[in-house]
Amino acid sequence: MTSVAALHLLLDRTAARAPDRVAVEEAGGGRVSYGALARLSDRVRDWLVARGVRPGDRVGLHLPKSIDAVAGIFGALKAGA
């Protein structure tokens, strides 16, 4: 039987193992490491929770494909949304 981990937990595990490895590259040349992406998503999570987002809530994102969009997705997952 295979163990399944939540997507945001896989990000945090990878950030702990390889924090400087590139996680996301934008078409315009921007890039972010796993460590930085984990920290960005933690900030999004904290922002969402401070505004009342709770586990089970739905969070909509309207962003172009970008590092910020990926951080937003992971932040919402970390908030339990």
Side-chain angles (χ1 to χ4, degrees), residues 48 53-54 57-61 72 76 79 81:
L48 291 169
V53 172
R54 299 290 176 250
D57 286 352
R58 294 180 186 194
V59 173
L61 298 173

Side-chain angles (χ1 to χ4, degrees), residues 69-81:
V70 175
I73 292 166
F74 278 111
L77 292 171
K78 288 180 175 187

Side-chain angles (χ1 to χ4, degrees), residues 5-81:
L7 189 59
H8 64 283
L9 296 177
L10 294 174
L11 169 63
D12 289 340
R13 288 180 193 165
T14 304
R17 279 195 321 261
D20 298 324
R21 190 169 175 189
V22 175
V24 178
E25 291 188 54
E26 292 178 327
R31 60 176 57 180
V32 66
S33 68
Y34 281 101
L37 181 59
R39 288 188 299 276
L40 282 171
S41 65
D42 287 346
R43 287 184 14 211
V44 172
R45 176 206 57 212
D46 295 345
W47 187 88
L48 291 169
V49 170
R51 278 146 189 84
V53 172
R54 299 290 176 250
D57 286 352
R58 294 180 186 194
V59 173
L61 298 173
H62 181 72
L63 297 165
K65 292 180 183 179
S66 63
I67 291 167
D68 289 339
V70 175
I73 292 166
F74 278 111
L77 292 171
K78 288 180 175 187

